[in-house]
Amino acid sequence: MNLKKKIGIIGGGPAGLTAAYLLAKAGQDVTVFEADPQYVGGISRTETYKGYHFDIGGHRFFSKSQEVEDFWSEILANDMLERPRSSRVYYAKKFFAYPLVAVEALKKLGIVESTLCMFSYLQAKLFPVKNPENFEDWVSNQFGKRLFNIFFKTYTEKVWGISCKEISADWAAQRIKGLSLTGAIKNALFPNRSKDKNKVIKTLIDSFRYPRKGPGMMWEVCAEKAIGFGGTVKMGAEVTKISYEHSEWVVELKQGNRYAGFDHVISSAPMRELISSMYPAPAEEVLAAASRLGYRDFITVILILKDKHIFTDNWIYIHDPSVRVGRIQNFKSWSPEMVPDPEMACYGLEYFCFDTDGLWNTPDEELIALGKKEIEQIGLAQGLDVVDGYVVRQKKAYPVYNQTYKENVDVIKNGLSNYPGLHLVGRNGMHKYNNQDHSMMTAMLAVKNILADKELFDLWKVNEDAEYHETIEENAPKAGRQMPEVLSRA
């Protein structure tokens, strides 16, 4: 256990940098390969433009894992803000508070629609779809078909670009875990003020922590501290091949550089790309399964505009098929320090697409014009108030949960058992729609396995709240039994 190991880490996002920091701190020889030439953090990075900071998707720092919370505090001891959570849903040209405010929802939907929704819910409870396999059936069982059509269908199909009947029920169970119409109404009438995080449904939390300069600040400092412990972080280092030769791993980069002698490789790279880069090549069925995995990309159109205090939420979900935007962030509400001028605001309009879509290849100026048009159509600003814009494109933001993804991932998991010292972590690395804390916990457990020189933890047993499902084997050393105190989320 005291032997120094050499570990290569593919990807400098939350999972990769969590592993790098913990391993370097433990005295291991660590090298991180990050493809981006400028930013660490992956999808949790913070980009900047003319002094404005913006998040790629909106990242709350809230976990039911004390281990994860302590990690955040250790990295940014004095730079975490406690922020109020405020979000709404835009539907039928009206804004609905989310989580639900019962009186407001009844008033805005109207007595007739509200009554129909309740009857639809009762019908779902009396005659549910048995063993729901797709998103539509799962959500309809929880909320009724009518509320599904109002508050879930449009936004979800914008996110994924496929019918809700083609999306696995796993995604619904993961993202809105523990929430039903009864629970939402109960929370609206009797908000849960418990200090016990394990009793709070994550999607209903009313506050969260957030780095004052955005989530990228966390990962920039984490990288600096890993380097301070002796680790190496290589930027602009796109991995094109990994080989297992003579009981060690070799990593090769697009530039032609070759790094050998790794005892372990931790990968948060997209699973599809990793499998195709491996040598010796995995079995044909593994390669075929990897090729069937899908990803959803997205574009954030940044609008810098005069702040007229119309939009004070952290974010708004856009359930309106007449506009292409799916969600809008207000970065000033995440942290005032994200916006350098108090008279200005900075919005992020999120457009979900595939990188083969026409939207992905639309020129930046046309995307900014689209954003100005749609922000005015929704009623959050006047197009004339916008003084500048910027565009961020994010590939492979979301692993697609279609009807066959799970069996494909299972084939890959089984096929990789022949490659000792390879550890898959994080959202794209495991093809799991993780939040930061889940990604970090998979990395934390991978580190424990590496330091112990045995598989104390099966990383696939970490759930979406970073709870470890399986008790550790009885003969494991006590040091390996420090179970994450993380429990469930939506």
Side-chain angles (χ1 to χ4, degrees), residues 364-386:
D364 289 2
E365 59 271 19
E366 292 182 27
L367 290 169
I368 292 167
L370 175 64
K372 290 167 67 174
K373 175 187 171 185
E374 294 197 338
I375 202 78
E376 183 167 318
Q377 185 176 337
I378 293 166
L380 293 176
Q382 294 293 315
L384 293 174
D385 293 334
V386 178

Side-chain angles (χ1 to χ4, degrees), residues 124-328:
K125 293 294 104 179
L126 291 171
F127 307 104
V129 176
K130 293 184 179 179
N131 303 315
E133 295 184 353
N134 63 63
F135 180 90
E136 180 170 331
D137 290 343
W138 193 96
V139 175
S140 296
N141 277 357
Q142 296 294 108
F143 296 89
K145 181 72 77 174
R146 205 165 188 96
L147 279 176
F148 162 77
N149 285 323
I150 291 173
F151 289 126
F152 293 91
K153 180 179 171 65
T154 299
Y155 176 75
T156 302
E157 292 185 351
K158 281 185 182 183
V159 171
W160 295 109
I162 56 177
S163 163
C164 287
K165 285 191 174 294
E166 297 177 64
I167 301 168
S168 170
D170 290 355
W171 188 70
Q174 177 174 325
R175 301 306 291 181
I176 50 180
K177 181 179 178 180
L179 183 63
S180 64
L181 180 60
T182 303
I185 293 174
K186 180 181 177 183
N187 183 78
L189 297 174
F190 309 103
N192 188 343
R193 304 301 182 193
S194 172
K195 298 297 184 182
D196 184 352
K197 290 185 177 183
N198 296 331
K199 295 180 180 178
V200 179
I201 298 172
K202 264 194 177 179
T203 198
L204 300 179
I205 63 170
D206 57 12
S207 67
F208 54 87
R209 291 199 294 167
Y210 192 76
R212 58 186 182 82
K213 291 288 190 181
M217 185 181 190
M218 175 69 69
W219 303 113
E220 288 159 13
V221 174
C222 185
E224 290 169 6
K225 292 192 173 187
I227 292 169
F229 283 125
T232 300
V233 177
K234 294 186 176 294
M235 303 299 295
E238 183 179 344
V239 175
T240 56
K241 184 178 180 181
I242 62 168
S243 308
Y244 189 65
E245 305 173 4
H246 310 297
S247 300
E248 66 179 34
W249 285 95
V250 179
V251 174
E252 297 181 42
L253 305 185
K254 186 176 183 180
Q255 298 91 328
N257 309 65
R258 190 173 188 272
Y259 300 85
F262 293 109
D263 301 297
H264 298 267
V265 168
I266 297 174
S267 175
S268 63
M271 186 183 280
R272 188 175 69 193
E273 277 63 33
L274 179 78
I275 297 305
S276 66
S277 75
M278 293 177 63
Y279 179 84
E284 283 297 326
E285 63 266 23
V286 175
L287 292 168
S291 72
R292 291 191 291 266
L293 296 177
Y295 301 87
R296 190 67 162 158
D297 314 294
F298 79 77
I299 296 168
T300 303
V301 176
I302 306 299
L303 298 180
I304 298 169
L305 65 165
K306 299 171 187 175
D307 191 357
K308 295 188 175 179
H309 308 287
I310 297 171
F311 175 18
T312 59
D313 308 82
N314 306 113
W315 69 91
I316 297 177
Y317 300 105
I318 308 300
H319 293 248
D320 183 343
S322 72
V323 292
R324 297 190 69 170
V325 65
R327 185 173 58 184
I328 305 176

Side-chain angles (χ1 to χ4, degrees), residues 299 353-364 366-367 393:
I299 296 168
C353 61
F354 296 109
D355 63 8
T356 53
D357 292 349
L359 188 67
W360 180 263
N361 296 306
T362 299
D364 289 2
E366 292 182 27
L367 290 169
R393 289 171 174 81

